[in-house]
């Protein structure tokens, strides 16, 4: 048998916002002398009896302590007193607060306050325990005063659709600002939840910043020194600012608990204060158009990603603005081929990137509020050359792309603003690799001439709509290496099962001398195995041979590493290496084996690279 004290304690911040008393302890005290004052307290509303105790009062009542319990993150508490002792009189309930919920300020001495005196209503469980269950929510006026003593300031609010008052807007970042005469302070930020609620915790140091902070923090202007912040709010959606309140909309000198209901009727995206620009290649790699391009060869020069040429469709990464010189803006991209990466660019050598050279590209979004509580904010992409129907498309002014002027248009920032199909810049024909299988393992450029990397610089221009005089360059790349040539009629599977393949990223072929010397391609291997290989591409990354087949216990075999030769191809003949070293081909088990030649190429779109290009050949060991 025992006595159980349990329940839940919270503190109100406002009507629909409360918090658990995490960081506090609840204490139950006996009442020493029951008199008329005590009885009046038992009958009184806790709002009338709650007060902070001084050290003397705390010391006097310490000997009357019956039980205490810590309050958890849900506001729940529970403690058990073992034994048969019972107490039927009234109990005084105090709270000792060490920290308040989500406190950001430094610790301070605990504060003890008394809430009320109650006559417990005991219940009994099936184990004969006596239970006193007491729940209470401390009124906001008193609890916010306690929070202020801990320098714990809070904003609790909700963001709703003004036109649909019951529709919350989730996923919006709410930023609380303090309007100050020197510089506005950011108090904090939070993202609205599924019901539109948000909570921002801060301290007085967040709004008492000066040019001498953190040495001297005071709220300005002077005086008073003990005023609260003057709060207004900014909104963002996934990092994009939304036009909302201005400093003139501030709430003056707010207290430690501010409860607000904000509403938004339309999405208005203010233009960004930075100019439009073209800065990188590729959404994933984000290769700098100047700093990460090697001036000597036009290839990438990023640590861990060096020596790559470009191919395929490449995203141009940068930022757009809706207006230039306060006028609607339009932009275009141009390219210029050069003989070498170091060839100076010509002022008259630029060609426009035509509409047909641009695959589907998203350059921003139209953001709209809806009345659907399950989907309150809709982002509708805006496309260049959309695939399919029902998509919002930009308009052109010749080769110039008009930036949408819709108030709710969110222009891309540090994201794709164009995509160029570089196959329409490098338009050279494929290389015909037609040759007898006997040529595998030998040089091919004499009979199948090479086509080297092309070099092209790319730039972005912007201007006021229909105003050529306002044209400015918004970013020019170094000349980049470009290679879109494919290989046709490439030998595959050597003399074993001869065939050819076309439209290959690289020419990769493998054969075996001992099969090549036969008439059917089915010669069995007995004592010798000489493997021929050829891998050709202007930007080879690696070439390797591997073999799959059974092994004797303790036996191991593989091909030696292949070192790359001068561009554009690596070729030769090699043999298996065995462990132990005294073994040879004749020690292979009589079975079937497959040899694979694999090559990689250093090409990138800025978002991906081609996978390995392979060829294989099988043989039987007799």
């Amino acid at each position: 048998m025992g006595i159980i004290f349990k329940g839940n304690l919270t503190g109100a911040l406002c009507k629909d916002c409360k918090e658990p008393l995490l960081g506090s302890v609840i204490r139950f005290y006996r009442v020493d002398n029951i008199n008329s004052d005590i009885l009046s307290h038992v009958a009184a509303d806790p709002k009338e009896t709650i007060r902070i105790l001084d050290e003397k009062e705390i010391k006097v009542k310490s000997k009357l302590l019956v039980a205490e319990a810590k309050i958890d993150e849900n506001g729940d508490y529970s403690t058990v007193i073992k034994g048969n002792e019972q107490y039927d009189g009234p109990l005084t309930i105090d709270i000792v607060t060490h920290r308040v919920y989500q406190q950001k300020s430094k610790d301070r001495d605990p504060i003890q306050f008394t809430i009320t005196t109650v006559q417990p209503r005991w219940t009994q469980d099936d184990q004969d325990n006596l239970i006193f269950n007491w729940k209470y929510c401390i009124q906001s006026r008193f609890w916010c005063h306690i929070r202020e003593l801990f320098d714990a300031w809070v904003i609790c609010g909700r963001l709703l659709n003004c036109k649909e008052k019951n529709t919350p807007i989730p996923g919006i970042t709410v930023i609380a600002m303090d309007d100050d005469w020197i510089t506005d302070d950011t108090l904090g930020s939070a993202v609205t939840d599924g019901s539109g609620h948000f909570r921002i915790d801060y301290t007085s140091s967040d709004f008492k910043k000066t040019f001498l902070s953190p040495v001297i923090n005071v709220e300005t202007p002077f005086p008073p020194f003990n005023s609260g912040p003057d709060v207004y709010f900014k909104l963002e959606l996934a990092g994009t600012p939304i036009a909302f309140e201005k400093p003139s909309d501030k709430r003056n000198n707010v207290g430690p608990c501010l409860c607000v209901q904000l509403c938004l009727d339309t999405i208005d995206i203010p233009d960004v204060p930075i100019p439009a620009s073209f800065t990188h290649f590729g959404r994933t790699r984000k290769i700098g158009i100047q700093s990460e391009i090697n001036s000597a060869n036009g290839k990438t020069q990023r640590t861990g990603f060096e020596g790559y040429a470009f191919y395929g469709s490449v995203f141009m990464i940068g930022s757009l603005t809706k207006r230039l010189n306060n006028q609607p803006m339009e932009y275009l991209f141009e390219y210029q081929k050069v003989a070498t990466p170091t060839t100076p660019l010509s002022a008259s050598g630029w060609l426009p990137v035509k509409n047909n050279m641009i695959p589907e590209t998203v350059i921003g979004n139209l953001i709209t509020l809806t009345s659907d509580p399950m989907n309150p904010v809709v982002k509708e992409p805006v496309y260049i050359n959309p695939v399919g129907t029902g998509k919002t498309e930009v308009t052109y002014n010749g080769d110039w792309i008009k930036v949408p002027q819709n108030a709710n248009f969110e222009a891309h920032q540090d994201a794709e603003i164009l995509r160029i199909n570089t196959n329409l810049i490098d338009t050279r024909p494929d290389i015909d690799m037609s040759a007898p299988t006997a040529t595998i393992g030998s040089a091919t450029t004499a009979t199948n001439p090479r086509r080297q990397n092309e070099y092209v610089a790319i730039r972005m221009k912007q201007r006021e709509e229909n105003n050529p005089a306002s044209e400015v360059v918004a970013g020019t790349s170094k000349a980049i290496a470009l290679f879109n040539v494919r290989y046709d009629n490439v030998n595959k599977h050597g003399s074993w099962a001869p065939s050819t393949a076309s439209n290959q990223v690289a020419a990769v072929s493998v054969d075996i001398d001992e099969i090549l010397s036969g008439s059917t391609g089915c010669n069995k291997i007995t004592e010798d195995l000489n493997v021929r290989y050829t891998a050709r591409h202007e930007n080879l990354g690696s070439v390797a041979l591997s073999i799959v087949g059974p092994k004797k216990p303790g036996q191991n075999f593989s091909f030696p590493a292949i070192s790359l030769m001068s561009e554009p191809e690596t070729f030769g003949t090699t043999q298996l290496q065995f462990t132990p070293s005294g073994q040879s081909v004749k020690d292979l088990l009589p079975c079937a084996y497959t040899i694979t030649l694999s090559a990689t190429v250093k090409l990138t779109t800025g978002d991906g690279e081609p996978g390995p290009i392979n060829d294989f050949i099988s043989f039987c060991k007799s």
Side-chain angles (χ1 to χ4, degrees):
M1 177 179 176
I3 300 175
I4 299 175
F5 294 88
K6 60 186 294 187
N8 182 273
L9 283 168
T10 56
L13 304 177
C14 50
K15 182 179 179 181
D16 62 345
C17 188
K18 62 181 182 179
E19 64 184 16
L21 265 58
L22 177 66
S24 295
V25 173
I26 184 170
R27 288 179 175 175
F28 297 90
Y29 293 93
R30 298 174 185 270
V31 176
D32 195 11
N33 296 310
I34 300 177
N35 52 38
S36 58
D37 288 339
I38 295 298
L39 294 176
S40 65
H41 278 199
V42 172
D45 188 323
K47 294 179 182 179
E48 306 298 328
T49 58
I50 192 168
R51 64 184 181 87
I52 296 175
L53 303 177
D54 59 33
E55 291 185 10
K56 182 178 179 181
E57 290 175 299
I58 296 170
K59 185 176 181 180
V60 167
K61 68 189 320 184
S62 61
K63 62 183 179 181
L64 302 175
L65 182 65
V66 175
E68 65 178 13
K70 289 184 177 180
I71 302 169
D72 68 16
E73 65 275 7
N74 298 313
D76 297 329
Y77 67 89
S78 180
T79 187
V80 179
I81 301 176
K82 300 294 184 181
N84 297 320
E85 182 180 359
Q86 296 186 28
Y87 176 70
D88 296 328
L91 293 172
T92 297
I93 301 175
D94 286 8
I95 301 295
V96 182
T97 298
H98 298 270
R99 290 183 64 84
V100 297
Y101 187 65
Q102 295 191 10
Q103 176 182 332
K104 291 188 173 183
S105 56
K106 296 180 180 179
D107 289 338
R108 58 148 290 163
D109 292 337
I111 296 173
Q112 182 165 339
F113 57 92
T114 188
I115 297 180
T116 188
T117 301
V118 298
Q119 178 61 55
R121 294 183 179 180
W122 299 98
T123 60
Q124 195 167 14
D125 63 16
D126 54 7
Q127 297 179 355
D128 293 330
N129 292 309
L130 292 176
I131 302 172
F132 175 45
N133 193 327
W134 191 71
K135 299 180 180 180
Y136 188 68
C137 180
I138 300 172
Q139 61 171 326
S140 60
R141 181 177 180 181
F142 183 85
W143 182 241
C144 289
H145 174 58
I146 295 294
R147 290 187 59 88
E148 184 177 17
L149 295 176
F150 282 87
D151 193 24
W153 298 63
V154 63
I155 299 170
C156 189
R158 195 178 188 204
L159 180 63
L160 300 174
N161 185 329
C162 295
K163 296 178 180 178
E164 303 287 342
K165 285 293 182 71
N166 293 323
T167 303
I169 306 177
I172 301 291
T173 299
V174 181
I175 305 167
M177 302 295 298
D178 171 36
D179 178 39
D180 209 344
W181 74 295
I182 297 178
T183 180
D184 289 0
D185 303 318
T186 300
L187 302 178
S189 64
V191 178
T192 56
D193 63 16
S195 61
H197 283 99
F198 65 91
R199 174 183 173 131
I200 298 171
D201 289 273
Y202 61 104
T203 71
S204 62
S205 63
D206 291 317
F207 60 85
K208 292 182 178 179
K209 297 173 184 175
T210 72
F211 63 94
L212 296 175
S213 294
V215 178
I216 298 177
N217 286 336
V218 290
E219 174 66 346
T220 51
F222 316 105
F225 297 147
N226 60 344
S227 60
D230 301 326
V231 178
Y232 67 98
F233 294 95
K234 295 180 178 180
L235 301 181
E236 289 183 358
L237 176 61
T240 299
I242 299 172
F244 194 55
E245 294 184 345
K246 302 180 291 295
S248 58
D249 299 316
K250 64 189 176 185
R251 299 147 187 84
N252 291 316
N253 192 22
V254 304
C257 296
L258 172 62
C259 296
V260 294
Q261 180 167 296
L262 308 176
C263 79
L264 188 64
D265 55 0
T266 58
I267 300 289
D268 187 352
I269 308 295
D271 215 3
V272 295
I274 58 175
S277 60
F278 161 47
T279 56
H280 296 83
F281 294 113
R283 295 178 299 184
T284 304
R285 296 289 186 185
K286 281 197 171 179
I287 300 162
I289 63 173
Q290 285 285 331
S291 62
E292 294 186 308
I293 301 298
N294 189 318
S295 300
N297 59 22
K299 299 181 181 181
T300 60
Q301 61 174 9
R302 175 185 294 173
T303 301
F305 195 71
E306 293 180 306
Y308 282 76
F310 290 85
Y311 84 114
S313 292
V314 180
F315 280 106
M316 308 293 113
I317 305 301
S319 298
L320 294 178
T321 58
K322 289 191 281 190
R323 304 181 77 78
L324 177 66
N325 304 325
N326 205 31
Q327 298 297 316
M329 193 195 90
E330 55 189 16
Y331 70 103
L332 91 163
F333 273 76
E334 296 177 320
Y335 67 95
Q336 182 175 159
K337 290 184 179 182
V338 289
T340 71
T342 58
T343 302
L345 298 175
S346 167
S348 60
W350 293 99
L351 298 172
V353 174
K354 296 287 188 179
N355 178 275
N356 68 329
M357 300 170 67
I358 307 173
E360 181 180 81
T361 309
V362 176
I363 66 165
N365 300 281
L366 297 174
I367 305 177
T368 307
L369 292 176
T370 76
S371 58
D372 182 1
M374 301 302 294
N375 191 27
V377 180
V378 172
K379 275 193 172 187
E380 179 187 354
V382 176
Y383 293 87
I384 301 173
N385 293 335
V387 176
T389 59
K391 297 179 179 179
T392 301
E393 185 175 3
V394 300
T395 56
Y396 271 85
N397 179 13
D399 295 318
W400 292 81
I401 302 164
K402 293 184 178 182
V403 179
Q405 297 299 302
N406 310 57
N408 63 332
F409 176 65
E410 171 199 35
H412 270 178
Q413 303 296 311
D414 193 27
E416 67 265 29
I417 54 178
L418 198 80
R419 191 180 187 189
I420 300 177
N421 180 0
T422 65
N423 288 285
L424 298 179
I425 296 177
D426 179 6
T427 58
R428 296 172 295 172
D430 294 349
I431 297 174
D432 185 357
M433 295 296 294
S434 297
T437 56
T439 61
I440 297 174
S442 304
T444 65
T445 54
T447 54
N448 311 96
R450 66 185 291 195
R451 293 190 177 91
Q452 301 184 34
N453 291 330
E454 284 202 324
Y455 302 99
V456 59
I458 298 173
R459 75 178 183 182
M460 174 186 177
K461 293 175 72 176
Q462 60 175 325
R463 71 181 186 186
E464 300 169 15
E465 194 173 300
N466 289 318
N467 184 3
S470 65
E471 290 181 13
V472 291
V473 175
T476 303
S477 77
K478 289 181 181 177
I480 60 172
L482 193 62
F483 193 82
N484 284 303
V485 175
R486 295 296 180 109
Y487 297 83
D488 293 338
N489 300 311
V490 178
N491 283 315
K492 292 294 180 182
H493 314 309
S495 304
W496 167 62
S499 63
T500 60
S502 294
N503 196 34
Q504 298 290 289
V505 173
V508 176
S509 303
V510 65
D511 204 354
I512 297 173
D513 262 350
E514 287 68 27
I515 294 179
L516 176 63
S517 62
S519 59
T520 65
C522 292
N523 285 9
K524 292 185 177 181
I525 303 301
T526 55
E527 296 184 356
D528 297 310
L529 182 67
N530 293 282
V531 178
R532 293 169 170 261
Y533 60 88
T534 296
R536 176 171 165 177
H537 192 275
E538 293 296 323
N539 304 282
L540 275 177
S542 64
V543 180
L545 280 164
S546 61
I547 183 169
V548 175
K551 298 175 182 178
K552 294 178 181 179
Q555 185 186 60
N556 199 9
F557 46 84
S558 62
F559 290 101
I562 298 175
S563 298
L564 293 180
M565 300 168 64
S566 299
E567 297 171 350
E569 58 187 348
T570 293
F571 57 87
T573 302
T574 190
Q575 297 176 331
L576 278 176
Q577 293 178 333
F578 284 83
T579 303
S581 58
Q583 294 191 357
S584 64
V585 172
K586 65 182 180 181
D587 296 303
L588 291 174
L589 288 170
C591 197
Y593 295 80
T594 296
I595 295 171
T596 299
L597 175 65
S598 181
T600 62
V601 296
K602 285 193 166 185
L603 291 178
T604 184
T605 63
D607 288 285
E609 295 73 47
I613 304 95
N614 301 316
D615 187 25
F616 69 90
I617 188 169
S618 295
F619 68 89
C620 290
K621 167 64 171 60
S622 62

